[in-house]
Amino acid sequence: QVQLVESGGGLVHSGGSLRLSCVASGRFDSIRAMGWYRQVPGKERELVAIMSRDTGTTYADSVNGRFTISRDFAQNTVSLQMNSLKPGDTAVYFCYTEVQRVVNVEGATVRREYWGKGTLVTVSS
């Protein structure tokens, strides 16, 4: 099992900044991807930013140029620096990871996805 613990959410005025962090712990041999999604009531969860070994770094168009995702590979953490925040950024932000484990002596691997519990970001106008 893998645990994701998020921190850094809160209330900020429009134009302000927040930094989210997430640390992964548990049983895995490598992290294939880490990133952030967000969700508002009544809408589907959407990608904010992700760093993947397979596909590189991706940002949602709505945050590109304002948000920056970064990884500390040694500490198994991912952070999201959010600048120039807008009321439309208000949402619950979820940390996401895809991890890989070796499952036998031949080196076969499996991948699993995990989600954090979410942290609320509120941007007031």
Side-chain angles (χ1 to χ4, degrees), residues 58-74:
T58 303
Y59 291 95
D61 290 342
S62 60
V63 308
N64 202 12
R66 300 188 295 124
F67 292 9
T68 303
I69 189 171
S70 60
R71 289 279 314 277
D72 183 333
F73 292 90

Side-chain angles (χ1 to χ4, degrees), residues 5-63:
V5 178
E6 302 129 330
S7 61
L11 172 64
V12 65
H13 291 299
S14 182
S17 298
L18 280 175
R19 185 177 180 84
L20 305 182
S21 293
C22 172
V23 58
S25 62
R27 296 184 60 192
F28 55 88
D29 295 299
S30 65
I31 293 177
R32 303 301 304 179
M34 282 192 88
W36 295 91
Y37 287 70
R38 67 187 181 187
Q39 189 171 24
V40 297
K43 292 190 176 182
E44 293 187 356
R45 192 171 296 185
E46 63 174 7
L47 173 70
V48 177
I50 192 167
M51 297 181 72
S52 168
R53 290 192 179 189
D54 297 326
T55 59
T57 300
T58 303
Y59 291 95
D61 290 342
S62 60
V63 308

Side-chain angles (χ1 to χ4, degrees), residues 1-4 23-34 53 71 73-77 97-102 110-112 114:
Q1 191 64 285
V2 174
Q3 295 79 40
L4 296 174
V23 58
S25 62
R27 296 184 60 192
F28 55 88
D29 295 299
S30 65
I31 293 177
R32 303 301 304 179
M34 282 192 88
R53 290 192 179 189
R71 289 279 314 277
F73 292 90
Q75 300 296 323
N76 294 326
T77 62
T97 190
E98 180 186 36
V99 302
Q100 182 169 288
R101 287 182 54 202
V102 176
V110 295
R111 296 188 181 186
R112 293 286 186 268
Y114 295 90

